[in-house]
Amino acid sequence: MKVVVWSCAALLLAGTAYAAEDSRPKALSQETKQCLGCHKDINTGMYQEWGESKHFGANVGCYECHKAEKGEADAIDHNGFSIAVIVSPKDCSRCHAKEVEEFEGSHHSKAGQIMGSLDNTLAEVVEGNKGMKTEAFPKGVSAAAVNGCWQCHGNVVKVLPNGKLDPATWPNTGIGRINPDGSEGSCAACHSRHNFSAAQARNPENCGKCHMGPDHPQIEIYNESKHGIAYQANKDRMNMNSSKWVVGEDYSAAPTCATCHMSATKDMDVNHNVGLRIKWNNRPAISKETHTVDKGWGLASAEITGDMRRANMKKVCVSCHNTNFTDNFYVQYEELLKLYHEKFGEPGLKLYAAATKVLKAMKGKEYVQFAQAIDFTWYEIWHHEGRRARHGAAMMAPDYTHWHGTYEVAKHWAAKYIPELKELIEQGKGSANKEAVAAAEELEKLLTETLNSDNHKWFLGKEDEADKAERAKGAEEFKAKYAK
């Protein structure tokens, strides 16, 4: 059987083979022409964007993407046609099977499954309420989650009995959106409709819609880095509209997010699984090798180990840098991870677990996470500041690594976390609840051990005397230079 792959595949980043010329549509279908009869005037902006797209040049129009079979979950009758409002990855796979298969195997495709995360708990309970009531959510849902988390992560799209989409779940182009046809994801998250431009998806700003802010500021980090500076200075040399867009061949002035994480190199094809070049997942309090996270999601890519992924990324790096530069960068980066883990991440988690035992013993059924200051303190140390340090090092942004990262971690560790732990210990030891007293004594022992460790003994004035003397000497020399 002959496989038909229309030339609309050119809108993606490269790598989809075209079928023979005679297998492509020779003209717009009659169904699409009928759609345009109305929508050309009703939705002029959509029409114009589509007119600029690769789809237009390939005679792929409204009906080819929006057609639906009667009986499908989101199929509606529209002027005699059976269509769906949402064009899902399953729909896109009619032409872009390779790209969709890669995407469905990625962590991106699972982004909508966040209901159990602390982030979502914050948006639904701590920040939000159930004031937004819709037909699909008669008991209410948090507008903070609908307008915040769901717009990047995606949500479960709800189809109402009349075929319309519930306003709490649509519009939405979250990268992990769960569609009425059961597919996961939204191609339009990166390839904005109705132009679906590859050039736009290659721009770093495209990723910045979601990868920004205090907890994962990748776009801000990129802009500060040498890579981002080179990109801003050389936008006109990036050859963004190239069909193949191979780094080192079609451009060399700077990399973008797409360059490093998915686009073609001289020895790697484009791949829509953006995790296959990332060894470390820096999202958790303690970084994990990415393949172990994929295993938890049941993804086939779990077979591609962290070291294999790092080797893939190095292939991108050496398109511009030599191997010595690349190897040394990874030494620097992974030493920063080690520092954060050993000094703050690992002991911080243990202390928080011990503190939680005290709180639960004291409060019983009244204990609720995020009802205490210490919950926010620890959460922001790892979820905001610790991530910023790790992401900053990963993307060569020194200010984010230090001042927005490790400095903020250390400041809040010493000025907030430790004092709050000490206060909790005193409260627990003074409790009439024997369980609380025992838990507080355990926490006190753990805190004492932590503060007397090599990483934290400075806090108690126990730093090595030779180290202190050497630093004092350096400080005097520094002051002398500035005093002149």
Side-chain angles (χ1 to χ4, degrees):
M1 179 174 131
K2 189 172 187 180
V3 177
V4 177
V5 183
W6 293 334
S7 63
C8 58
L11 72 94
L12 293 164
L13 298 186
T16 298
Y18 295 137
E21 193 74 35
D22 60 5
S23 69
R24 304 175 190 173
K26 296 296 188 291
L28 289 175
S29 65
Q30 290 303 311
E31 293 89 346
T32 286
K33 288 180 179 178
Q34 285 187 252
C35 297
L36 295 175
C38 295
H39 289 283
K40 179 179 179 180
D41 298 319
I42 297 172
N43 304 112
T44 305
M46 292 182 187
Y47 171 74
Q48 293 290 2
E49 286 300 298
W50 169 73
E52 292 288 330
S53 73
K54 296 283 188 179
H55 278 168
F56 174 80
N59 294 313
V60 175
C62 318
Y63 187 71
E64 284 67 46
C65 295
H66 287 278
K67 67 180 177 181
E69 299 296 329
K70 289 185 180 296
E72 291 182 357
D74 58 343
I76 59 173
D77 183 73
H78 180 68
N79 295 327
F81 294 106
S82 180
I83 67 160
V85 172
I86 293 177
V87 178
S88 73
K90 184 177 179 180
D91 297 320
C92 297
S93 71
R94 291 197 289 258
C95 294
H96 305 295
K98 174 180 179 290
E99 289 79 9
V100 170
E101 182 180 8
E102 292 168 350
F103 173 81
E104 287 180 339
S106 74
H107 202 135
H108 265 164
S109 72
K110 304 299 180 185
Q113 300 183 35
I114 58 168
M115 296 304 291
S117 71
L118 284 177
D119 307 48
N120 202 60
T121 298
L122 285 165
E124 289 194 343
V125 180
V126 182
E127 305 163 33
N129 59 22
K130 292 190 175 183
M132 182 178 181
K133 292 180 170 63
T134 65
E135 189 172 346
F137 296 92
K139 294 182 179 180
V141 67
S142 170
V146 170
N147 289 279
C149 311
W150 295 6
Q151 296 302 322
C152 281
H153 284 268
N155 59 294
V156 180
V157 178
K158 302 287 187 180
V159 182
L160 303 177
N162 62 5
K164 291 187 177 181
L165 305 176
D166 189 86
T169 65
W170 180 261
N172 184 283
T173 55
I175 195 78
R177 185 184 67 203
I178 302 172
N179 301 295
D181 62 12
S183 64
E184 297 172 321
S186 168
C187 301
C190 301
H191 299 282
S192 296
R193 56 188 186 271
H194 282 85
N195 189 309
F196 308 103
S197 164
Q200 178 179 314
R202 292 165 177 165
N203 272 273
E205 295 89 347
N206 195 57
C207 305
K209 173 199 169 189
C210 298
H211 291 275
M212 55 85 68
D215 57 334
H216 41 51
Q218 284 94 341
I219 188 62
E220 295 97 328
I221 288 169
Y222 172 82
N223 287 337
E224 185 206 320
S225 74
K226 293 291 285 185
H227 288 159
I229 293 166
Y231 166 76
Q232 292 292 338
N234 296 285
K235 283 185 177 181
D236 59 342
R237 297 174 55 204
M238 292 300 294
N239 202 13
M240 291 290 197
N241 289 301
S242 168
S243 292
K244 60 186 179 75
W245 208 58
V246 176
V247 63
E249 289 184 3
D250 300 298
Y251 65 105
S252 59
T256 70
C257 312
T259 301
C260 297
H261 293 289
M262 61 186 296
S263 295
T265 70
K266 293 177 181 179
D267 51 6
M268 289 193 297
D269 290 335
V270 62
N271 196 304
H272 282 66
N273 184 338
V274 297
L276 297 184
R277 302 175 188 175
I278 301 173
K279 177 177 180 177
W280 293 105
N281 181 327
N282 291 322
R283 183 198 175 280
I286 303 295
S287 301
K288 297 180 179 180
E289 291 198 41
T290 307
H291 71 281
T292 65
V293 180
D294 286 359
K295 185 177 181 180
W297 287 110
L299 298 174
S301 55
E303 296 181 1
I304 303 173
T305 67
D307 286 340
M308 293 165 68
R309 294 170 194 241
R310 181 170 60 181
N312 287 340
M313 183 63 87
K314 284 186 174 183
K315 290 179 182 179
V316 183
C317 301
V318 297
S319 297
C320 300
H321 305 288
N322 64 34
T323 55
N324 183 58
F325 180 100
T326 302
D327 290 343
N328 285 1
F329 157 73
Y330 270 100
V331 171
Q332 293 178 355
Y333 166 46
E334 293 186 337
E335 283 298 320
L336 188 283
L337 296 186
K338 181 181 176 183
L339 164 64
Y340 163 77
H341 292 154
E342 292 183 353
K343 186 162 186 173
F344 301 108
E346 292 166 359
L349 274 175
K350 291 178 182 178
L351 288 165
Y352 184 66
T356 301
K357 285 184 180 180
V358 179
L359 288 165
K360 286 182 175 179
M362 290 173 58
K363 296 193 173 187
K365 292 181 179 179
E366 294 181 359
Y367 169 78
V368 179
Q369 192 174 21
F370 291 115
Q372 298 78 217
I374 197 169
D375 296 323
F376 286 95
T377 299
W378 170 240
Y379 182 74
E380 291 190 0
I381 283 174
W382 73 263
H383 186 273
H384 286 36
E385 298 142 11
R387 281 191 192 169
R388 293 199 295 261
R390 289 173 282 167
H391 289 151
M395 297 170 63
M396 303 176 74
D399 199 67
Y400 268 90
T401 303
H402 177 52
W403 290 118
H404 295 290
T406 52
Y407 167 77
E408 294 283 348
V409 170
K411 179 180 74 171
H412 292 135
W413 177 278
K416 294 177 72 173
Y417 196 41
I418 300 305
E420 287 166 0
L421 288 167
K422 289 182 175 180
E423 182 181 359
L424 181 58
I425 289 167
E426 292 305 310
Q427 291 173 354
K429 289 171 69 175
S431 172
N433 184 313
K434 292 183 178 179
E435 185 182 349
V437 173
E441 289 175 347
E442 287 182 20
L443 175 59
E444 184 176 40
K445 179 181 178 183
L446 181 60
L447 179 59
T448 300
E449 290 174 355
T450 301
L451 293 180
N452 279 280
S453 68
D454 287 343
N455 277 319
H456 294 285
K457 63 185 182 182
W458 71 270
F459 189 81
L460 304 176
K462 296 180 178 181
E463 186 183 8
D464 182 82
E465 292 299 327
D467 289 343
K468 286 192 340 187
E470 184 177 354
R471 191 165 48 259
K473 179 183 177 183
E476 289 302 317
E477 291 174 353
F478 181 81
K479 290 176 185 177
K481 292 173 184 176
Y482 272 83
K484 291 180 179 178

